[in-house]
């Protein structure tokens, strides 16, 4: 039986271990952090993941979807909070289609527990990858509890070790390795709003809440424990920015001016706000994703995206499924399998990365840009008139169509919308 | 007197040492290679640099241009070699403007010798930078002859340590450091053609020779020793590629088919061809270029470009001049000086990087693309009709106008040319 090492027991590493174990391989997973099931997360962070159609499909294929579904809150649309407190509801689909909000920790724990039921999967925690020898697929590990350094070798290594991947860092020095890391000029800080006095969610729990303010925004996700996680997205520098809101007074002033409807809920939960780091958002692209038939990058390690589209985990899960298909189609010929996988998937992940950057702007401008809102109105009308006319968001979130195909269709739709909008203007002018 | 360390005694490092010494600083330059003046280069490589107006201006400002000029061969235009042996001459300007071909080694030796005449500049060779502590501006060096490891500290470090800069590698791990490395799908191998039987250059020495073949090309530069350096640019893989010309027979076949006019000159000089590595071409972009007021990247370490425009050294020299100006405008306030320099210069270097990529395609297509040649013809006519109508190549090579401004003008010109070309077609159709 071939030995496979996976670096990283995050969402993608855990699910990949299941896929590979079921394909008949012996899998060892090394994770630098502690077992998330044994520690009490006191980081004050509560990252939300959204799962949608393609994510569930990839979980379903290995029987992992049911345990995950229990931890999710269905979300049927967005509720926009205008500056004057007015609320606008935008459903994601016309037939109560939902995306699913889940805590990253909950999802991670569930996947590790699910994977551990397979006898050919072994997890080792607190094992930091400090070096890799690519040609021999040998990993140098340091036990972060004991300091002990060991070496492990396998037939192949899969690096699901995240955006700051030490494995990719080694591959970056290879000749002709293309690589880019691009940070957004904005970052975010999280504020947790506990359940209300009646022990329930303080907002409608079946929606994502957005306070779009053009160049900045607040966004809120429901949690299973009836709390809400708010993320305050601001530029790092400038008039309204993380820099300019370093003091408590400045934060109060920001909320009272731009988010007055939520200030009373936010105020009691700002105690550690100024000490929290600003979370950065980065887009990482690289190619190739593989080193010979020995090492393959997967997940954020080769295509980290900004979180605005809620597709990171979904794409990562889909990748586990696609990769396993490529491996099974070329039994024993790993180089061909890796080449096929990376060639098939790279264009889609590039499209998704760019869509995420664009969607970050779209979300911030959801209220206030009349031209944009006019186009959205036309889009919804077209959808109602013709059920085959699906929005980009719909095709990304509620189908398993490739991201490239979704973009191709979107371009045709946008052309149509432009023509209609132009005709509308002409009609208005002539009236 | 402030102590400054420069990492790298290449073209930019050497010239920067002169600029900084003349501005009153004590400068120590550490270079990983041996002193190029003490070794006999037997690498079989003869890299050509072209110097143009802006490069000379930056050399002139510190009195370094005269020693350099003696090592140059003026080049007044391109000679295109068609597949049937027909030659076409394209002058660079209408008034015998020239760019200057010089051997990289010659230029490097001249600059180091020139720098060493300044008593506050000290060079140390065979000193490899193995680590840097950014906050304290401390460099860890290994003497590659003795193996000895030492640490040196300065008030500030300037990293002119090239495209694979170890200093930048350290900065890449900083939060919000944007970085990209993008390799071309093509690489090149060099072939040296010695002087002819009469001891003179085998081609017109006052021209760059190009054999453009659309997806690949051969390009030749004159050397001071009366040899020519040919670079054979091919895709790495595919029907006509480095892969497909690994054998001597395949190389002969390639030349006999596509470069028949030069095969007899090339054949005797191919003895080590198959053992030569394919040289890769990379574009590197990053930002910021500085770390606080302590460390600054300069030259290829922060903006490596592909060599097709012959602007690498020129831009690097111009940067030494601009940086010194920024430092002198903010005496003692290094952080402001660094910020001003990088903010001013980044847009221009981005423009140049993109122009170089485009020009690589332009050079390869110089013969054979009728639409492209039609546009070139219109461009030359406009130039003859109006002396203020200067081509992009002219503004880049024969003026010191910023690269961004040159691009802005070029866009207007291309719009004009499109209109004229369209009218030409209409006229032809109606005739």
């Amino acid at each position: 039986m071939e030995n496979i090492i996976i670096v990283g027991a995050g969402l993608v590493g855990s699910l990949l271990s299941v896929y590979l174990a079921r394909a008949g391989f012996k899998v060892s997973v090394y994770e630098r952090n502690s077992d998330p099931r044994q520690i009490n997360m006191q980081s004050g962070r509560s990252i939300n993941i959204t799962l949608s159609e393609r994510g569930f499909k990839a979980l379903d294929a290995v029987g992992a979807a049911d345990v995950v579904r229990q931890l999710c809150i269905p979300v049927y649309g967005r509720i926009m909070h205008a500056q004057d407190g007015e609320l606008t509801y935008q459903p994601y689909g016309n037939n109560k289609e939902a995306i699913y909000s889940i805590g990253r920790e909950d999802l991670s724990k569930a996947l590790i527990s699910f994977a551990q039921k397979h006898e050919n999967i072994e997890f080792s925690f607190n094992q930091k990858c400090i070096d890799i020898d690519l040609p021999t697929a040998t990993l140098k590990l340091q036990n972060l509890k004991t300091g002990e350094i060991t070496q492990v070798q396998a037939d192949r290594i899969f690096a699901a070790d995240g955006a700051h991947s030490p494995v990719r860092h080694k591959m970056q020095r290879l000749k002709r390795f293309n690589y880019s890391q691009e940070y957004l000029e904005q970052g975010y800080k999280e504020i947790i709003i506990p359940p209300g006095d009646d022990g329930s969610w303080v907002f409608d729990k079946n929606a994502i809440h957005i306070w779009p303010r053009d160049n900045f925004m607040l966004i809120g996700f429901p949690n299973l424990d009836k709390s809400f996680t708010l993320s305050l997205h601001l530029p790092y520098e400038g008039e309204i920015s993380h820099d300019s809101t370093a003091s408590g007074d400045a934060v109060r002033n920001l909320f009272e001016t731009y988010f007055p409807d939520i200030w009373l809920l936010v105020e009691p939960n700002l105690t550690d706000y100024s000490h929290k780091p600003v979370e950065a958002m980065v887009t990482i692209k690289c190619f190739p994703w593989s080193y010979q038939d020995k090492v393959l990058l997967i997940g954020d390690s080769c295509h980290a995206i900004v979180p605005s589209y809620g597709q990171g985990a979904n794409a990562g899960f889909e990748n586990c499924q696609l990769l396993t298909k490529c491996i099974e189609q070329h039994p024993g010929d790993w180089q061909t399998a890796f080449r096929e996988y990376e060639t098939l998937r790279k264009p889609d992940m590039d499209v998704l990365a760019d869509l995420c950057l664009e969607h970050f702007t779209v979300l911030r401008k959801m209220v206030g840009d009349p031209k944009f809102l006019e186009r959205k109105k036309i889009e919804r009308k077209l959808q109602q008139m013709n059920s085959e006319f699906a929005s980009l968001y719909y095709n990304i979130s509620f189908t398993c169509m490739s991201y490239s195909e979704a973009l191709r269709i979107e371009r045709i739709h946008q052309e149509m919308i432009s023509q209609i909008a132009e005709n509308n203007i002409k009609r208005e002018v002539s009236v």
Side-chain angles (χ1 to χ4, degrees), chain A:
Chain A
M1 191 159 36
E2 281 221 24
N3 284 301
I4 284 175
I5 285 175
I6 295 176
V7 189
L11 303 183
V12 170
S14 304
L15 186 65
L16 181 62
S17 75
V18 174
Y19 266 94
L20 293 177
R22 291 168 63 108
F25 305 109
K26 189 177 170 299
V27 185
S28 308
V29 187
Y30 295 93
E31 165 61 44
R32 74 178 273 173
N33 291 315
S34 302
D35 187 338
R37 299 162 304 177
Q38 287 172 5
I39 46 168
N40 192 4
M41 291 299 289
Q42 291 291 356
S43 67
R45 293 191 61 191
S46 163
I47 308 164
N48 291 81
I49 298 282
T50 51
L51 291 177
S52 58
E53 183 60 20
R54 63 186 82 223
F56 279 114
K57 197 180 161 202
L59 291 168
D60 255 331
V62 290
D66 286 344
V67 287
V68 171
R69 274 202 187 87
Q70 302 166 22
L71 306 167
C72 288
I73 299 177
V75 162
Y76 301 100
R78 305 184 188 109
I79 292 179
M80 246 75 70
H81 296 239
Q83 208 163 326
D84 61 6
E86 198 193 346
L87 303 184
T88 321
Y89 181 65
Q90 281 183 359
Y92 286 132
N94 289 325
N95 298 298
K96 283 210 90 180
E97 288 88 350
I99 59 171
Y100 293 83
S101 177
I102 183 170
R104 189 198 178 90
E105 282 301 319
D106 290 344
L107 179 53
S108 172
K109 289 176 194 173
L111 287 178
I112 292 171
S113 293
F114 182 80
Q116 277 192 330
K117 289 184 190 151
H118 299 72
E119 61 175 21
N120 48 342
I121 303 179
E122 199 183 352
F123 282 84
S124 306
F125 293 95
N126 307 302
Q127 293 286 355
K128 180 185 174 187
C129 163
I130 52 174
D131 198 9
I132 180 172
D133 184 58
L134 300 168
T136 60
T138 305
L139 215 57
K140 196 188 250 183
L141 296 164
Q142 182 171 30
N143 185 315
L144 292 181
K145 291 238 157 133
T146 65
E148 193 194 352
I149 288 173
T150 50
Q151 288 207 334
V152 287
Q153 195 186 6
D155 296 302
R156 260 134 285 279
I157 294 177
F158 292 84
D161 50 348
H164 300 287
S165 166
V167 175
R168 184 200 65 230
H169 220 267
K170 194 74 182 260
M171 282 171 67
Q172 262 168 253
R173 296 189 173 238
L174 296 174
K175 264 216 162 169
R176 297 178 59 205
F177 185 82
N178 292 325
Y179 174 73
S180 74
Q181 59 185 46
E182 203 74 39
Y183 284 86
L184 283 187
E185 298 289 308
Q186 304 221 339
Y188 63 91
K189 280 195 180 192
E190 289 185 332
I191 303 164
I192 314 283
I193 309 288
D197 294 339
D198 63 351
S200 186
W201 287 272
V202 294
F203 301 114
D204 180 343
K205 75 171 196 302
N206 295 121
I208 306 283
H209 294 257
I210 309 183
W211 290 254
R213 297 296 179 265
D214 196 10
N215 195 36
F216 58 100
M217 71 171 174
L218 190 66
I219 184 162
F221 290 86
N223 298 316
L224 208 59
D225 68 358
K226 302 189 177 175
S227 67
F228 259 89
T229 304
L230 296 178
S231 298
L232 178 57
H233 287 261
L234 297 175
Y236 283 95
E237 287 150 33
E239 205 187 320
I240 298 172
S241 66
H242 288 295
D243 257 17
S244 75
T245 53
S247 77
D249 276 359
V251 177
R252 165 195 288 266
N253 192 27
L254 178 78
F255 271 88
E256 285 186 342
T257 311
Y258 295 102
F259 313 111
D261 66 339
I262 200 180
W263 170 240
L264 288 182
L265 289 171
V266 164
E267 192 179 14
N269 303 298
L270 284 179
T271 40
D272 56 350
Y273 183 82
S274 61
H275 302 294
K276 276 191 184 173
V278 181
E279 303 293 334
M281 288 179 283
V282 67
T283 302
I284 286 172
K285 293 180 180 173
C286 67
F287 204 77
W289 294 347
S290 61
Y291 175 82
Q292 296 174 0
D293 61 347
K294 285 296 176 191
V295 180
L296 183 82
L297 304 172
I298 188 164
D300 284 356
S301 66
C302 54
H303 47 63
I305 53 181
V306 305
S308 42
Y309 226 115
Q311 279 295 309
N314 294 290
F317 291 170
E318 221 179 13
N319 288 351
C320 297
Q321 192 174 19
L322 178 64
L323 170 62
T324 307
K325 211 167 142 188
C326 294
I327 293 169
E328 288 177 340
Q329 273 171 354
H330 304 279
D333 184 359
W334 291 83
Q335 186 143 4
T336 304
F338 288 177
R339 284 275 175 102
E340 188 171 294
Y341 167 69
E342 67 190 7
T343 312
L344 270 171
R345 196 55 171 168
K346 168 74 172 161
D348 281 323
M349 293 311 302
D350 282 350
V351 163
L352 181 59
D354 297 342
L355 287 179
C356 289
L357 290 173
E358 197 189 296
H359 202 64
F360 183 59
T361 313
V362 166
L363 285 178
R364 293 196 323 253
K365 291 185 192 292
M366 275 286 176
V367 165
D369 183 337
K371 264 197 196 161
F372 176 81
L373 294 174
E374 162 76 6
R375 294 179 70 92
K376 279 280 143 202
K377 226 165 100 183
I378 297 170
E379 184 176 88
R380 274 195 299 279
K381 272 198 189 157
L382 286 170
Q383 248 168 291
Q384 284 157 4
M385 284 161 58
N386 181 348
S387 65
E388 280 178 26
F389 188 103
S391 70
L392 177 65
Y393 191 91
Y394 186 96
N395 284 334
I396 297 283
S397 301
F398 303 122
T399 79
C400 296
M401 150 190 321
S402 80
Y403 294 120
S404 309
E405 176 65 6
L407 177 64
R408 191 188 66 77
I409 293 173
E410 170 66 1
R411 285 197 177 129
I412 298 169
H413 287 178
Q414 287 305 321
E415 185 55 38
M416 287 169 63
I417 292 171
S418 291
Q419 283 174 15
I420 296 170
E422 213 172 288
N423 286 337
N424 284 356
I425 290 168
K426 279 186 195 153
R427 211 176 311 140
E428 273 170 40
V429 171
S430 68
V431 165

